Amino acid sequence: MAEEKKEPVEETAETAAEEKAAKKSKSDKKHEKEIEALKKQLEDSEKALAEQKEQYLRVAAEYENFRRRSKAEREGVYSDACTDIVNEFLPVLDNIERAAAFASDEKVAEGIAMMAKAFSESLAKLGVEEIECKTFDPNVHNAVMHVDDDAYGEGEIVEVFQKGYKRGERVIRYAMVKTAN
């Protein structure tokens, strides 16, 4: 009888071990499924994060471009306004300079020359400068006459009919000149 009792105990131990192994196997499978689900969730989160990061970078780049365009536009508006105002006053300066050249009374000529100098200084404070007229440059000069004369070099400016002015690189008024050769 003692032998009979051992067998059921062994069966019970084996059965318990098998049940334990089965439970462990089910538990491992359950954990593996949970791990797979968490990995999938992590991948989805990383993809969403990457998309958000890309979207953020695009918005930041768009904002930077907008800021640059706005700054350039503001500067352009100021420059245009300054150019328009100066362009309206240049004929006044031209007339003052002509009057100074033809004034017969010495005191009148001196007064007109002082006005022309003050006006030129005001333009200089605004960043407006006279265009140099030595050699012809189609970017800043307007040739209205041409003369063939061996006394002058190629493209040399012989006479200035109207001074030209620029502010920075922007031409306000082209210089009207007579060129040689």
Side-chain angles (χ1 to χ4, degrees):
M1 273 201 183
E3 289 179 18
E4 286 178 24
K5 287 185 180 177
K6 280 187 180 179
E7 282 180 30
V9 171
E10 285 180 23
E11 281 180 33
T12 309
E14 285 178 14
T15 307
E18 287 175 7
E19 285 178 14
K20 221 179 194 183
K23 284 182 182 178
K24 188 175 183 184
S25 176
K26 285 182 184 178
S27 176
D28 286 348
K29 287 181 182 178
K30 183 180 175 184
H31 288 303
E32 286 177 10
K33 286 182 182 179
E34 287 178 4
I35 290 172
E36 288 300 317
L38 289 173
K39 283 182 181 178
K40 174 84 169 125
Q41 193 177 21
L42 179 62
E43 286 177 12
D44 292 344
S45 296
E46 286 176 346
K47 284 180 185 177
L49 177 63
E51 289 174 6
Q52 289 293 322
K53 185 177 180 180
E54 185 178 327
Q55 186 179 11
Y56 168 76
L57 291 175
R58 285 183 182 168
V59 168
E62 285 178 22
Y63 174 73
E64 184 64 25
N65 290 339
F66 170 76
R67 194 178 62 75
R68 284 188 199 136
R69 279 192 312 269
S70 296
K71 182 180 179 185
E73 194 173 291
R74 278 192 310 273
E75 290 172 357
V77 167
Y78 176 76
S79 181
D80 290 346
C82 185
T83 299
D84 292 344
I85 290 169
V86 169
N87 203 22
E88 290 298 318
F89 284 112
L90 287 178
V92 176
L93 179 60
D94 292 339
N95 289 334
I96 291 172
E97 288 174 344
R98 284 187 202 109
F102 293 111
S104 58
D105 187 4
E106 193 175 304
K107 291 291 182 184
V108 172
E110 186 180 324
I112 293 173
M114 286 172 41
M115 285 191 309
K117 181 181 177 192
F119 198 92
S120 294
E121 288 172 355
S122 296
L123 290 177
K125 286 179 185 176
L126 291 172
V128 177
E129 57 188 47
E130 189 177 317
I131 294 174
E132 188 177 293
C133 293
K134 291 183 180 176
T135 15
F136 181 73
D137 179 0
N139 296 317
V140 293
H141 299 113
N142 182 13
V144 293
M145 292 184 78
H146 179 78
V147 64
D148 289 325
D149 191 343
D150 294 333
Y152 298 105
E154 179 84 22
E156 189 174 337
I157 294 176
V158 177
E159 188 176 349
V160 178
F161 298 116
Q162 188 177 49
K163 292 179 182 178
Y165 294 89
K166 64 181 182 174
R167 183 172 186 269
E169 293 299 313
R170 184 170 180 181
V171 175
I172 296 173
R173 181 174 76 182
Y174 293 88
M176 284 201 304
V177 296
K178 178 196 274 187
T179 59
N181 303 322

